[in-house]
Amino acid sequence: MTEPVLLQDTQGNVLSITFNRPEKYNAITSAMLADLAEAVDRFREDHDLRVLVLRGTGSYYSAGMDISEGLAPSTDSGIDFRNWYRRDIHRLFDELEAIEKPILAAVQGPCLGGALEMALSCDFRLVAASARFGLPETRIGALPGSGGMSRLTRLVGAAEAKWLVMAAQTIDAQRALRVGLVHEVYPDEDFEQQVTEFAQALAALPQEAVGAGKVAIDAIQDVDRATARQIERLSNTPLSQSTEHLRLVQAFLDRKK
């Protein structure tokens, strides 16, 4: 029996994590969340791993959380429920957002519910033309509570967030690109190659600059313009004085000559 989550190193510095339950539309179980958290810890600590790619096998990226498993605890206590939410889901998604390395979701087919919320925690969302996006929680009398409202609204605005959450609508890849939910749409037949090339190009960029850029951009979203400028200056100061920066500048000048 294959493992629900597969780990694969690609060319040494790109880590791919693949959801592998195609018979269940890659629905995410508590065991998969635990395996994913362990893999994310490995990615964070291993300096040779520079890029993380989340993938799915089969016709679905993921149908979201496997509610048939009874993922949430059976309790009448709101405190217990919120503690579970924070411990088992929010902490993982927040870590994806916080790690100072690029993380990308490579989405083919439907990406629904908790899987979309996970993708919203990633830095980049590259999708195949067959991708579809939705938050169906409202249909069962619930709401997406792991970034499906907070991260989504910051990314696409209130109007589109209401379309996905309140109206429980599903959108295709081209609409997702148009509203800013995803970064790029590729033909299905070229998708894997395009994702691989993008991930390798990311891995080849200066690691400190990429990581600092991620932290600075995320911080700038929540502050006024003057503070944002200060963050830019503070972020760039150590980079501009680093050995790597001076080496790359000299290499550029030498090529220009």
Side-chain angles (χ1 to χ4, degrees), residues 18-35:
T18 305
F19 304 121
N20 188 43
R21 290 182 80 205
E23 72 285 356
K24 295 291 186 180
Y25 306 110
N26 293 326
I28 301 167
T29 65
S30 56
M32 292 170 72
L33 286 174
D35 287 347

Side-chain angles (χ1 to χ4, degrees), residues 61-120:
Y61 176 75
S62 174
M65 299 302 172
D66 190 349
I67 59 174
S68 67
E69 184 200 41
L71 194 65
S74 178
T75 177
D76 293 329
S77 168
I79 293 175
D80 288 346
F81 181 82
R82 289 189 294 275
N83 284 339
W84 163 80
Y85 232 146
R86 181 173 58 251
R87 182 188 66 245
D88 288 10
I89 300 180
H90 288 181
R91 186 180 297 172
L92 171 59
F93 290 7
D94 290 348
E95 185 66 7
L96 292 174
E97 196 173 51
I99 291 175
E100 296 180 32
K101 298 180 183 182
I103 299 174
L104 64 100
V107 178
Q108 90 297 343
C111 175
L112 306 174
L116 175 52
E117 293 182 290
M118 186 184 299
L120 292 170

Side-chain angles (χ1 to χ4, degrees), residues 159-171:
E160 200 68 21
K162 288 178 180 179
W163 183 256
L164 286 161
V165 176
M166 294 174 62
Q169 295 296 302
T170 300
I171 63 174

Side-chain angles (χ1 to χ4, degrees), residues 105-107 124-129 131 133 173-174 176-178 180-187 191 194-195 198:
V107 178
F124 302 98
R125 286 161 294 281
L126 307 182
V127 309
F133 301 91
Q174 288 301 325
L177 179 64
R178 189 166 66 249
L181 180 61
V182 305
H183 292 84
E184 193 59 88
V185 178
Y186 301 109
F191 178 60
Q194 294 287 350
V195 169
F198 181 78

Side-chain angles (χ1 to χ4, degrees), residues 44-239:
R44 183 190 60 243
E45 299 301 328
D46 189 335
H47 295 299
D48 291 329
L49 295 175
R50 294 191 164 205
V51 177
L52 173 60
V53 184
L54 302 181
R55 305 174 183 267
T57 57
S59 59
Y60 269 60
Y61 176 75
S62 174
M65 299 302 172
D66 190 349
I67 59 174
S68 67
E69 184 200 41
L71 194 65
S74 178
T75 177
D76 293 329
S77 168
I79 293 175
D80 288 346
F81 181 82
R82 289 189 294 275
N83 284 339
W84 163 80
Y85 232 146
R86 181 173 58 251
R87 182 188 66 245
D88 288 10
I89 300 180
H90 288 181
R91 186 180 297 172
L92 171 59
F93 290 7
D94 290 348
E95 185 66 7
L96 292 174
E97 196 173 51
I99 291 175
E100 296 180 32
K101 298 180 183 182
I103 299 174
L104 64 100
V107 178
Q108 90 297 343
C111 175
L112 306 174
L116 175 52
E117 293 182 290
M118 186 184 299
L120 292 170
S121 304
C122 299
D123 302 296
F124 302 98
R125 286 161 294 281
L126 307 182
V127 309
S130 60
R132 300 290 183 271
F133 301 91
L135 293 164
E137 287 87 343
T138 310
R139 297 182 185 275
I140 58 172
L143 289 171
S146 299
M149 292 185 287
S150 56
R151 289 188 178 98
L152 179 68
T153 302
R154 291 178 68 180
L155 194 63
V156 303
E160 200 68 21
K162 288 178 180 179
W163 183 256
L164 286 161
V165 176
M166 294 174 62
Q169 295 296 302
T170 300
I171 63 174
D172 63 18
Q174 288 301 325
R175 178 163 178 167
L177 179 64
R178 189 166 66 249
V179 301
L181 180 61
V182 305
H183 292 84
E184 193 59 88
V185 178
Y186 301 109
D188 284 29
E189 59 272 19
D190 299 331
F191 178 60
E192 290 298 332
Q193 179 182 348
Q194 294 287 350
V195 169
T196 298
E197 290 179 358
F198 181 78
Q200 291 173 346
L202 268 179
L205 291 171
Q207 193 171 17
E208 290 291 335
V210 171
K214 176 174 180 173
V215 173
I217 290 168
D218 287 345
I220 283 168
Q221 292 185 90
D222 298 317
V223 300
D224 61 86
R225 181 179 178 276
T227 305
R229 292 293 198 191
Q230 290 283 26
I231 292 173
E232 287 178 329
R233 286 189 282 271
L234 289 169
S235 300
N236 208 37
T237 299
L239 293 174

